[in-house]
Amino acid sequence: MAKQGAKTVVPTLRFPEFRETSGWVEAPLGEQAVFHKGRGISKADLDVNGALSCIRYGELYTRYGEVIDSVFSKTSVPVTELFLSRKYDVIIPASGETKEDIATASCVLLDDVALGSDLNVIRSSHNGIFLSYFLNGAKRREIARVAQGNAVVHLYPSQIGALHVSFPEEAEQQRIADCLTSLDEVIAAQVRKVESLKTHKRGLMQQLFPRGGGVRPHLRFPEFHNAPDWTLGKASDIVNVMQGYGFPERLQGSRDGDFPFYKVSDISTCVDAGGILLDKANNHIDASVLEELRAKLMPVGSTVFAKIGEAIRSNRRAITSRLCLVDNNAAGVKAIAGSAYDRFVYYLWCQVPLIEYAGGVVPAVNKSAIEQIPVCYPKIDEQRRIADFLSSLDVRIAAEAEQLAGLKTHKQGLMSRLFPMSVGG
């Protein structure tokens, strides 16, 4: 029961069995938990044969969600030099790259896991799973506001302790925790499904295209079993290479215009979302700007990619779905009519490691270097057969990725209603 005079709040969405119960009791988290700091465990301290499981702060951003029930890393650092977890501890980074990302809390469901330095440890009698979801959801913006720093962001126990956090009775905490962990299990299953399809596609592509300088793929469709060997040549035999244009800052930022002006970030966003067709841009220009830039539009069906910097290593590729421009950090290739099929060029180019052809202190490839890249290709009817087959698989991958995105959006919406807005200072 709430203490007399204590502040209480009620979430927008409540499970039926709790709708007639009292509100959630709100108080500074520092009055409801104790705080610790992790110790030690540099990257050099990781040991695959180590006797002790461990968690480093960077792993919260890359490997874990709100609940940690198994641990990836191990260490051989003596236990006397470490800080060990208790089941239901909540950990949150003490430093990070951005204020938006630092609110990355996880509940450790295991005893005696070594928790590295740069980890804040929150220990309370409340349900740790409930608290980790609360911090990642309703409290994320508040945590971002109190975190300090720019290039490196810091989050201190005193700042977390000042957050006003509300808790219902134990049974309701458990009900919310069970609901969200069940949803996360569905999301994790969908992630595995998408990744499995992507792995299947990568395996097929390795068989559908010749490897190691060969001229015949390991796997060929029946109607092409007796077809001639593929042709060894260079990129300029089958594609026209198109360069990007400088994009003056004064012209950037328009969401409306005749033509999209794509940046490398637009390509990355498309690919990271599981897409192939580039159809969303943060910048647009109209015909008058096109004339001012003296730029030539890139045709529909071009495969576009980064051509400079570390982005080259990512091998992200996308296909233009509209007449467009790309900035001078990107380039494109377009199939030469009669020699190549656009979609085949896309799949072929996905396997070209541009970094191997890059030069300079900052890796970069220019038009002439791209034109000389060795390629191997069949007659156009076999190109089309390969492309159509892989395209049908990409349609399925995109549908599953869209379902995954929908589940993640549903989770965020659910969390915003299951946890109340604070009324505290």
Short mmCIF file of all heavy atoms in Angstrom, two decimals, residues 2-65:
data_model
loop_
_atom_site.label_atom_id
_atom_site.label_comp_id
_atom_site.label_asym_id
_atom_site.label_seq_id
_atom_site.Cartn_x
_atom_site.Cartn_y
_atom_site.Cartn_z
N ALA A 2 0.36 2.34 -0.61
CA ALA A 2 1.11 3.59 -0.65
C ALA A 2 1.10 4.24 0.72
O ALA A 2 0.12 4.20 1.45
CB ALA A 2 0.48 4.53 -1.69
N LYS A 3 2.24 4.85 1.07
CA LYS A 3 2.31 5.60 2.31
C LYS A 3 1.42 6.83 2.21
O LYS A 3 1.23 7.39 1.13
CB LYS A 3 3.75 6.02 2.59
CG LYS A 3 4.71 4.86 2.81
CD LYS A 3 6.10 5.38 3.07
CE LYS A 3 7.09 4.23 3.29
NZ LYS A 3 8.47 4.72 3.51
N GLN A 4 0.86 7.25 3.34
CA GLN A 4 0.00 8.41 3.34
C GLN A 4 0.77 9.63 2.84
O GLN A 4 1.86 9.93 3.30
CB GLN A 4 -0.55 8.68 4.74
CG GLN A 4 -1.62 9.76 4.78
CD GLN A 4 -2.26 9.87 6.15
OE1 GLN A 4 -1.86 9.17 7.09
NE2 GLN A 4 -3.26 10.72 6.27
N GLY A 5 0.19 10.35 1.88
CA GLY A 5 0.82 11.54 1.33
C GLY A 5 1.76 11.26 0.18
O GLY A 5 2.26 12.20 -0.45
N ALA A 6 2.04 9.98 -0.13
CA ALA A 6 2.95 9.65 -1.23
C ALA A 6 2.28 9.94 -2.57
O ALA A 6 1.07 9.77 -2.73
CB ALA A 6 3.35 8.18 -1.16
N LYS A 7 3.07 10.38 -3.54
CA LYS A 7 2.54 10.63 -4.88
C LYS A 7 2.25 9.29 -5.56
O LYS A 7 3.03 8.35 -5.48
CB LYS A 7 3.54 11.41 -5.71
CG LYS A 7 3.75 12.84 -5.24
CD LYS A 7 4.77 13.55 -6.13
CE LYS A 7 4.99 14.98 -5.69
NZ LYS A 7 5.99 15.68 -6.52
N THR A 8 1.12 9.23 -6.23
CA THR A 8 0.79 8.03 -7.00
C THR A 8 0.40 8.44 -8.42
O THR A 8 -0.11 9.53 -8.65
CB THR A 8 -0.36 7.23 -6.36
OG1 THR A 8 -1.53 8.05 -6.32
CG2 THR A 8 0.01 6.76 -4.97
N VAL A 9 0.67 7.55 -9.36
CA VAL A 9 0.32 7.77 -10.76
C VAL A 9 -0.29 6.50 -11.30
O VAL A 9 -0.14 5.41 -10.71
CB VAL A 9 1.55 8.17 -11.59
CG1 VAL A 9 2.04 9.56 -11.22
CG2 VAL A 9 2.68 7.15 -11.40
N VAL A 10 -1.00 6.63 -12.42
CA VAL A 10 -1.68 5.48 -13.03
C VAL A 10 -1.34 5.46 -14.52
O VAL A 10 -1.42 6.50 -15.18
CB VAL A 10 -3.20 5.56 -12.84
CG1 VAL A 10 -3.89 4.39 -13.53
CG2 VAL A 10 -3.55 5.59 -11.36
N PRO A 11 -0.93 4.32 -15.07
CA PRO A 11 -0.61 4.25 -16.50
C PRO A 11 -1.88 4.32 -17.36
O PRO A 11 -2.99 4.09 -16.87
CB PRO A 11 0.07 2.89 -16.64
CG PRO A 11 -0.50 2.07 -15.53
CD PRO A 11 -0.72 3.02 -14.39
N THR A 12 -1.71 4.62 -18.63
CA THR A 12 -2.84 4.68 -19.56
C THR A 12 -3.47 3.32 -19.74
O THR A 12 -4.70 3.19 -19.83
CB THR A 12 -2.35 5.22 -20.93
OG1 THR A 12 -1.73 6.48 -20.75
CG2 THR A 12 -3.51 5.35 -21.90
N LEU A 13 -2.64 2.29 -19.81
CA LEU A 13 -3.12 0.92 -20.04
C LEU A 13 -2.79 0.07 -18.83
O LEU A 13 -1.64 0.03 -18.38
CB LEU A 13 -2.45 0.34 -21.29
CG LEU A 13 -2.83 -1.08 -21.69
CD1 LEU A 13 -4.31 -1.15 -22.07
CD2 LEU A 13 -1.96 -1.55 -22.86
N ARG A 14 -3.81 -0.62 -18.33
CA ARG A 14 -3.60 -1.47 -17.15
C ARG A 14 -4.31 -2.80 -17.38
O ARG A 14 -5.40 -2.84 -17.96
CB ARG A 14 -4.16 -0.76 -15.92
CG ARG A 14 -3.38 -1.03 -14.65
CD ARG A 14 -3.78 -0.10 -13.54
NE ARG A 14 -2.94 -0.31 -12.35
CZ ARG A 14 -3.17 0.24 -11.17
NH1 ARG A 14 -4.20 1.07 -11.00
NH2 ARG A 14 -2.36 -0.01 -10.14
N PHE A 15 -3.72 -3.88 -16.92
CA PHE A 15 -4.36 -5.17 -17.05
C PHE A 15 -5.63 -5.20 -16.20
O PHE A 15 -5.69 -4.58 -15.13
CB PHE A 15 -3.39 -6.29 -16.64
CG PHE A 15 -2.24 -6.46 -17.60
CD1 PHE A 15 -0.99 -5.91 -17.32
CD2 PHE A 15 -2.42 -7.14 -18.79
CE1 PHE A 15 0.07 -6.05 -18.21
CE2 PHE A 15 -1.36 -7.29 -19.68
CZ PHE A 15 -0.12 -6.74 -19.39
N PRO A 16 -6.67 -5.91 -16.67
CA PRO A 16 -7.98 -5.86 -16.01
C PRO A 16 -7.94 -6.12 -14.51
O PRO A 16 -8.64 -5.45 -13.74
CB PRO A 16 -8.79 -6.94 -16.75
CG PRO A 16 -8.15 -7.01 -18.10
CD PRO A 16 -6.69 -6.77 -17.87
N GLU A 17 -7.12 -7.07 -14.09
CA GLU A 17 -7.12 -7.46 -12.68
C GLU A 17 -6.53 -6.39 -11.77
O GLU A 17 -6.61 -6.51 -10.54
CB GLU A 17 -6.36 -8.79 -12.49
CG GLU A 17 -4.89 -8.77 -12.87
CD GLU A 17 -4.63 -9.19 -14.31
OE1 GLU A 17 -5.46 -8.87 -15.20
OE2 GLU A 17 -3.59 -9.83 -14.55
N PHE A 18 -5.93 -5.34 -12.35
CA PHE A 18 -5.31 -4.30 -11.52
C PHE A 18 -6.00 -2.94 -11.67
O PHE A 18 -5.55 -1.96 -11.07
CB PHE A 18 -3.82 -4.17 -11.87
CG PHE A 18 -3.05 -5.45 -11.69
CD1 PHE A 18 -2.58 -6.15 -12.79
CD2 PHE A 18 -2.80 -5.97 -10.42
CE1 PHE A 18 -1.88 -7.34 -12.64
CE2 PHE A 18 -2.09 -7.14 -10.26
CZ PHE A 18 -1.63 -7.83 -11.37
N ARG A 19 -7.07 -2.89 -12.45
CA ARG A 19 -7.67 -1.58 -12.73
C ARG A 19 -8.33 -0.95 -11.51
O ARG A 19 -8.48 0.27 -11.46
CB ARG A 19 -8.69 -1.72 -13.87
CG ARG A 19 -8.02 -1.93 -15.23
CD ARG A 19 -8.99 -2.22 -16.33
NE ARG A 19 -8.27 -2.55 -17.58
CZ ARG A 19 -8.83 -3.13 -18.62
NH1 ARG A 19 -10.13 -3.44 -18.60
NH2 ARG A 19 -8.11 -3.38 -19.70
N GLU A 20 -8.73 -1.75 -10.56
CA GLU A 20 -9.37 -1.20 -9.37
C GLU A 20 -8.43 -1.07 -8.19
O GLU A 20 -8.83 -0.69 -7.09
CB GLU A 20 -10.55 -2.10 -8.97
CG GLU A 20 -11.61 -2.28 -10.07
CD GLU A 20 -12.19 -0.96 -10.54
OE1 GLU A 20 -12.39 -0.05 -9.70
OE2 GLU A 20 -12.43 -0.82 -11.76
N THR A 21 -7.14 -1.40 -8.42
CA THR A 21 -6.17 -1.29 -7.33
C THR A 21 -5.61 0.13 -7.26
O THR A 21 -5.86 0.96 -8.12
CB THR A 21 -5.03 -2.31 -7.50
OG1 THR A 21 -4.36 -2.05 -8.74
CG2 THR A 21 -5.58 -3.72 -7.51
N SER A 22 -4.83 0.40 -6.24
CA SER A 22 -4.30 1.74 -6.01
C SER A 22 -3.28 2.12 -7.08
O SER A 22 -2.78 1.27 -7.82
CB SER A 22 -3.65 1.82 -4.63
OG SER A 22 -2.61 0.86 -4.52
N GLY A 23 -2.99 3.42 -7.15
CA GLY A 23 -2.02 3.91 -8.11
C GLY A 23 -0.60 3.49 -7.77
O GLY A 23 -0.33 2.94 -6.70
N TRP A 24 0.30 3.75 -8.68
CA TRP A 24 1.69 3.39 -8.49
C TRP A 24 2.37 4.44 -7.60
O TRP A 24 2.19 5.65 -7.80
CB TRP A 24 2.42 3.35 -9.82
CG TRP A 24 1.91 2.29 -10.78
CD1 TRP A 24 0.70 1.66 -10.75
CD2 TRP A 24 2.61 1.81 -11.92
NE1 TRP A 24 0.60 0.79 -11.80
CE2 TRP A 24 1.76 0.85 -12.54
CE3 TRP A 24 3.86 2.07 -12.47
CZ2 TRP A 24 2.14 0.17 -13.69
CZ3 TRP A 24 4.23 1.38 -13.62
CH2 TRP A 24 3.38 0.44 -14.22
N VAL A 25 3.16 4.00 -6.66
CA VAL A 25 3.84 4.90 -5.74
C VAL A 25 5.10 5.45 -6.40
O VAL A 25 5.95 4.69 -6.87
CB VAL A 25 4.20 4.18 -4.43
CG1 VAL A 25 4.93 5.12 -3.49
CG2 VAL A 25 2.95 3.62 -3.77
N GLU A 26 5.22 6.77 -6.43
CA GLU A 26 6.34 7.41 -7.08
C GLU A 26 7.30 8.03 -6.07
O GLU A 26 6.86 8.64 -5.09
CB GLU A 26 5.86 8.49 -8.04
CG GLU A 26 7.00 9.15 -8.82
CD GLU A 26 6.50 10.22 -9.75
OE1 GLU A 26 6.22 11.33 -9.29
OE2 GLU A 26 6.38 9.92 -10.95
N ALA A 27 8.58 7.85 -6.32
CA ALA A 27 9.62 8.44 -5.47
C ALA A 27 10.93 8.43 -6.24
O ALA A 27 11.06 7.69 -7.23
CB ALA A 27 9.76 7.65 -4.17
N PRO A 28 11.90 9.22 -5.85
CA PRO A 28 13.21 9.15 -6.51
C PRO A 28 13.77 7.73 -6.44
O PRO A 28 13.64 7.05 -5.41
CB PRO A 28 14.06 10.13 -5.71
CG PRO A 28 13.08 11.08 -5.11
CD PRO A 28 11.87 10.26 -4.80
N LEU A 29 14.37 7.27 -7.53
CA LEU A 29 14.90 5.92 -7.56
C LEU A 29 15.97 5.72 -6.49
O LEU A 29 16.13 4.61 -5.96
CB LEU A 29 15.47 5.61 -8.95
CG LEU A 29 15.95 4.19 -9.20
CD1 LEU A 29 14.84 3.17 -8.93
CD2 LEU A 29 16.47 4.04 -10.63
N GLY A 30 16.67 6.80 -6.14
CA GLY A 30 17.70 6.71 -5.11
C GLY A 30 17.14 6.33 -3.75
O GLY A 30 17.88 5.85 -2.88
N GLU A 31 15.84 6.55 -3.52
CA GLU A 31 15.20 6.15 -2.26
C GLU A 31 14.69 4.72 -2.31
O GLU A 31 14.23 4.18 -1.30
CB GLU A 31 14.03 7.10 -1.95
CG GLU A 31 14.45 8.54 -1.71
CD GLU A 31 13.26 9.45 -1.44
OE1 GLU A 31 12.12 8.93 -1.34
OE2 GLU A 31 13.46 10.68 -1.34
N GLN A 32 14.75 4.10 -3.48
CA GLN A 32 14.17 2.77 -3.65
C GLN A 32 15.20 1.73 -4.08
O GLN A 32 14.85 0.56 -4.27
CB GLN A 32 13.06 2.83 -4.71
CG GLN A 32 12.02 3.92 -4.43
CD GLN A 32 10.98 4.00 -5.53
OE1 GLN A 32 10.11 3.13 -5.62
NE2 GLN A 32 11.06 5.00 -6.38
N ALA A 33 16.44 2.14 -4.23
CA ALA A 33 17.49 1.23 -4.69
C ALA A 33 18.84 1.71 -4.20
O ALA A 33 18.99 2.85 -3.76
CB ALA A 33 17.49 1.17 -6.22
N VAL A 34 19.82 0.83 -4.25
CA VAL A 34 21.21 1.22 -3.97
C VAL A 34 22.00 1.07 -5.27
O VAL A 34 21.65 0.27 -6.15
CB VAL A 34 21.84 0.35 -2.86
CG1 VAL A 34 21.16 0.61 -1.53
CG2 VAL A 34 21.75 -1.13 -3.21
N PHE A 35 23.08 1.85 -5.39
CA PHE A 35 23.84 1.89 -6.62
C PHE A 35 25.27 1.42 -6.39
O PHE A 35 25.88 1.70 -5.36
CB PHE A 35 23.85 3.31 -7.19
CG PHE A 35 22.48 3.79 -7.59
CD1 PHE A 35 21.64 4.39 -6.66
CD2 PHE A 35 22.03 3.63 -8.89
CE1 PHE A 35 20.38 4.81 -7.01
CE2 PHE A 35 20.77 4.06 -9.25
CZ PHE A 35 19.93 4.65 -8.32
N HIS A 36 25.79 0.70 -7.39
CA HIS A 36 27.17 0.23 -7.36
C HIS A 36 27.79 0.53 -8.72
O HIS A 36 27.10 0.87 -9.68
CB HIS A 36 27.24 -1.27 -7.09
CG HIS A 36 26.59 -1.68 -5.80
ND1 HIS A 36 27.24 -1.64 -4.59
CD2 HIS A 36 25.33 -2.15 -5.54
CE1 HIS A 36 26.42 -2.06 -3.64
NE2 HIS A 36 25.25 -2.37 -4.19
N LYS A 37 29.10 0.38 -8.81
CA LYS A 37 29.81 0.50 -10.08
C LYS A 37 30.53 -0.81 -10.36
O LYS A 37 31.07 -1.46 -9.46
CB LYS A 37 30.83 1.65 -10.05
CG LYS A 37 30.23 3.04 -10.12
CD LYS A 37 29.57 3.33 -11.47
CE LYS A 37 30.56 3.35 -12.62
NZ LYS A 37 31.49 4.49 -12.60
N GLY A 38 30.56 -1.18 -11.64
CA GLY A 38 31.32 -2.35 -12.04
C GLY A 38 32.82 -2.07 -11.90
O GLY A 38 33.25 -0.94 -11.64
N ARG A 39 33.62 -3.13 -12.09
CA ARG A 39 35.07 -2.99 -11.93
C ARG A 39 35.81 -3.72 -13.04
O ARG A 39 35.43 -4.83 -13.44
CB ARG A 39 35.53 -3.57 -10.58
CG ARG A 39 35.06 -2.81 -9.36
CD ARG A 39 35.46 -3.54 -8.09
NE ARG A 39 36.92 -3.66 -7.99
CZ ARG A 39 37.53 -4.42 -7.09
NH1 ARG A 39 36.81 -5.13 -6.21
NH2 ARG A 39 38.85 -4.48 -7.04
N GLY A 40 36.90 -3.08 -13.52
CA GLY A 40 37.84 -3.76 -14.41
C GLY A 40 37.24 -4.27 -15.71
O GLY A 40 36.25 -3.76 -16.22
N ILE A 41 37.86 -5.28 -16.28
CA ILE A 41 37.49 -5.99 -17.51
C ILE A 41 37.67 -5.11 -18.75
O ILE A 41 36.70 -4.60 -19.31
CB ILE A 41 36.07 -6.58 -17.49
CG1 ILE A 41 35.77 -7.26 -16.15
CG2 ILE A 41 35.93 -7.61 -18.61
CD1 ILE A 41 34.36 -7.82 -16.07
N SER A 42 38.92 -4.94 -19.15
CA SER A 42 39.20 -4.29 -20.43
C SER A 42 39.01 -5.32 -21.54
O SER A 42 38.79 -6.51 -21.28
CB SER A 42 40.64 -3.79 -20.45
OG SER A 42 41.54 -4.89 -20.43
N LYS A 43 39.09 -4.86 -22.77
CA LYS A 43 38.95 -5.78 -23.89
C LYS A 43 40.04 -6.86 -23.84
O LYS A 43 39.79 -8.02 -24.19
CB LYS A 43 39.04 -5.00 -25.21
CG LYS A 43 38.65 -5.80 -26.44
CD LYS A 43 38.55 -4.92 -27.67
CE LYS A 43 38.10 -5.73 -28.88
NZ LYS A 43 37.98 -4.88 -30.10
N ALA A 44 41.22 -6.47 -23.38
CA ALA A 44 42.33 -7.43 -23.29
C ALA A 44 42.07 -8.49 -22.22
O ALA A 44 42.71 -9.55 -22.22
CB ALA A 44 43.63 -6.69 -22.99
N ASP A 45 41.15 -8.22 -21.27
CA ASP A 45 40.86 -9.17 -20.20
C ASP A 45 39.89 -10.26 -20.63
O ASP A 45 39.63 -11.20 -19.87
CB ASP A 45 40.27 -8.43 -18.99
CG ASP A 45 41.29 -7.54 -18.29
OD1 ASP A 45 42.47 -7.92 -18.29
OD2 ASP A 45 40.90 -6.49 -17.77
N LEU A 46 39.30 -10.13 -21.83
CA LEU A 46 38.38 -11.16 -22.30
C LEU A 46 39.16 -12.42 -22.66
O LEU A 46 40.24 -12.36 -23.23
CB LEU A 46 37.59 -10.67 -23.51
CG LEU A 46 36.70 -9.45 -23.29
CD1 LEU A 46 35.97 -9.08 -24.57
CD2 LEU A 46 35.69 -9.71 -22.17
N ASP A 47 38.59 -13.56 -22.29
CA ASP A 47 39.26 -14.85 -22.51
C ASP A 47 38.20 -15.91 -22.77
O ASP A 47 37.39 -16.21 -21.89
CB ASP A 47 40.10 -15.20 -21.26
CG ASP A 47 40.83 -16.52 -21.40
OD1 ASP A 47 40.68 -17.20 -22.44
OD2 ASP A 47 41.55 -16.89 -20.46
N VAL A 48 38.19 -16.46 -23.98
CA VAL A 48 37.16 -17.44 -24.33
C VAL A 48 37.22 -18.66 -23.42
O VAL A 48 36.22 -19.39 -23.27
CB VAL A 48 37.29 -17.88 -25.80
CG1 VAL A 48 36.96 -16.72 -26.72
CG2 VAL A 48 38.68 -18.44 -26.10
N ASN A 49 38.37 -18.90 -22.81
CA ASN A 49 38.52 -20.05 -21.91
C ASN A 49 38.43 -19.64 -20.44
O ASN A 49 38.73 -20.44 -19.55
CB ASN A 49 39.86 -20.74 -22.17
CG ASN A 49 39.95 -21.30 -23.57
OD1 ASN A 49 39.03 -21.95 -24.05
ND2 ASN A 49 41.06 -21.03 -24.25
N GLY A 50 38.04 -18.38 -20.20
CA GLY A 50 37.95 -17.90 -18.83
C GLY A 50 36.90 -18.64 -18.01
O GLY A 50 35.94 -19.19 -18.55
N ALA A 51 37.10 -18.63 -16.71
CA ALA A 51 36.21 -19.36 -15.81
C ALA A 51 34.97 -18.56 -15.43
O ALA A 51 33.99 -19.12 -14.94
CB ALA A 51 36.97 -19.77 -14.55
N LEU A 52 35.00 -17.25 -15.66
CA LEU A 52 33.94 -16.38 -15.15
C LEU A 52 33.25 -15.64 -16.30
O LEU A 52 33.92 -15.03 -17.14
CB LEU A 52 34.53 -15.37 -14.16
CG LEU A 52 33.59 -14.71 -13.16
CD1 LEU A 52 32.95 -15.75 -12.26
CD2 LEU A 52 34.35 -13.68 -12.34
N SER A 53 31.92 -15.70 -16.33
CA SER A 53 31.17 -14.92 -17.31
C SER A 53 31.28 -13.44 -16.97
O SER A 53 31.35 -13.06 -15.80
CB SER A 53 29.69 -15.34 -17.31
OG SER A 53 29.55 -16.68 -17.70
N CYS A 54 31.28 -12.59 -18.00
CA CYS A 54 31.41 -11.17 -17.76
C CYS A 54 30.64 -10.36 -18.79
O CYS A 54 30.34 -10.84 -19.89
CB CYS A 54 32.89 -10.75 -17.76
SG CYS A 54 33.71 -10.94 -19.36
N ILE A 55 30.33 -9.13 -18.41
CA ILE A 55 29.63 -8.20 -19.30
C ILE A 55 30.40 -6.88 -19.30
O ILE A 55 30.68 -6.33 -18.23
CB ILE A 55 28.18 -7.96 -18.84
CG1 ILE A 55 27.38 -9.25 -18.86
CG2 ILE A 55 27.50 -6.90 -19.73
CD1 ILE A 55 26.00 -9.13 -18.23
N ARG A 56 30.74 -6.40 -20.48
CA ARG A 56 31.35 -5.08 -20.63
C ARG A 56 30.29 -4.10 -21.12
O ARG A 56 29.35 -4.47 -21.80
CB ARG A 56 32.53 -5.12 -21.60
CG ARG A 56 33.64 -6.05 -21.13
CD ARG A 56 34.80 -6.06 -22.11
NE ARG A 56 35.50 -4.77 -22.11
CZ ARG A 56 35.59 -3.98 -23.18
NH1 ARG A 56 35.01 -4.31 -24.31
NH2 ARG A 56 36.25 -2.84 -23.11
N TYR A 57 30.48 -2.81 -20.81
CA TYR A 57 29.42 -1.84 -21.08
C TYR A 57 29.06 -1.75 -22.56
O TYR A 57 27.89 -1.60 -22.92
CB TYR A 57 29.81 -0.46 -20.54
CG TYR A 57 30.56 0.42 -21.50
CD1 TYR A 57 29.89 1.40 -22.23
CD2 TYR A 57 31.93 0.27 -21.69
CE1 TYR A 57 30.57 2.21 -23.12
CE2 TYR A 57 32.61 1.08 -22.58
CZ TYR A 57 31.93 2.05 -23.30
OH TYR A 57 32.61 2.84 -24.18
N GLY A 58 30.04 -1.87 -23.45
CA GLY A 58 29.76 -1.76 -24.88
C GLY A 58 28.83 -2.84 -25.39
O GLY A 58 28.12 -2.65 -26.39
N GLU A 59 28.80 -3.98 -24.70
CA GLU A 59 27.94 -5.07 -25.13
C GLU A 59 26.46 -4.77 -24.93
O GLU A 59 25.61 -5.39 -25.58
CB GLU A 59 28.33 -6.36 -24.39
CG GLU A 59 29.73 -6.86 -24.74
CD GLU A 59 30.16 -8.04 -23.91
OE1 GLU A 59 29.79 -8.10 -22.73
OE2 GLU A 59 30.87 -8.91 -24.43
N LEU A 60 26.15 -3.84 -24.04
CA LEU A 60 24.74 -3.48 -23.85
C LEU A 60 24.17 -2.85 -25.11
O LEU A 60 22.97 -2.94 -25.38
CB LEU A 60 24.57 -2.52 -22.67
CG LEU A 60 24.90 -3.05 -21.28
CD1 LEU A 60 24.36 -2.11 -20.22
CD2 LEU A 60 24.35 -4.44 -21.05
N TYR A 61 25.03 -2.19 -25.89
CA TYR A 61 24.58 -1.54 -27.12
C TYR A 61 24.46 -2.52 -28.28
O TYR A 61 23.72 -2.26 -29.23
CB TYR A 61 25.55 -0.43 -27.52
CG TYR A 61 25.67 0.69 -26.51
CD1 TYR A 61 26.86 0.90 -25.81
CD2 TYR A 61 24.60 1.54 -26.25
CE1 TYR A 61 26.98 1.93 -24.90
CE2 TYR A 61 24.71 2.57 -25.33
CZ TYR A 61 25.90 2.76 -24.66
OH TYR A 61 26.02 3.78 -23.75
N THR A 62 25.20 -3.60 -28.24
CA THR A 62 25.31 -4.46 -29.42
C THR A 62 24.77 -5.88 -29.24
O THR A 62 24.39 -6.51 -30.22
CB THR A 62 26.78 -4.57 -29.84
OG1 THR A 62 27.56 -5.10 -28.76
CG2 THR A 62 27.35 -3.21 -30.22
N ARG A 63 24.73 -6.38 -27.99
CA ARG A 63 24.44 -7.81 -27.85
C ARG A 63 23.26 -8.13 -26.94
O ARG A 63 22.75 -9.25 -26.99
CB ARG A 63 25.68 -8.54 -27.30
CG ARG A 63 26.95 -8.25 -28.07
CD ARG A 63 28.05 -9.22 -27.75
NE ARG A 63 27.83 -10.51 -28.42
CZ ARG A 63 28.75 -11.48 -28.50
NH1 ARG A 63 29.95 -11.28 -27.95
NH2 ARG A 63 28.50 -12.61 -29.11
N TYR A 64 22.83 -7.18 -26.12
CA TYR A 64 21.81 -7.51 -25.13
C TYR A 64 20.60 -6.60 -25.24
O TYR A 64 20.69 -5.46 -25.71
CB TYR A 64 22.40 -7.39 -23.71
CG TYR A 64 23.52 -8.36 -23.43
CD1 TYR A 64 24.82 -7.91 -23.21
CD2 TYR A 64 23.29 -9.73 -23.40
CE1 TYR A 64 25.86 -8.80 -22.94
CE2 TYR A 64 24.32 -10.63 -23.14
CZ TYR A 64 25.60 -10.16 -22.91
OH TYR A 64 26.62 -11.05 -22.65
N GLY A 65 19.47 -7.13 -24.78
CA GLY A 65 18.25 -6.36 -24.68
C GLY A 65 17.92 -6.05 -23.24
O GLY A 65 18.81 -5.97 -22.38
#
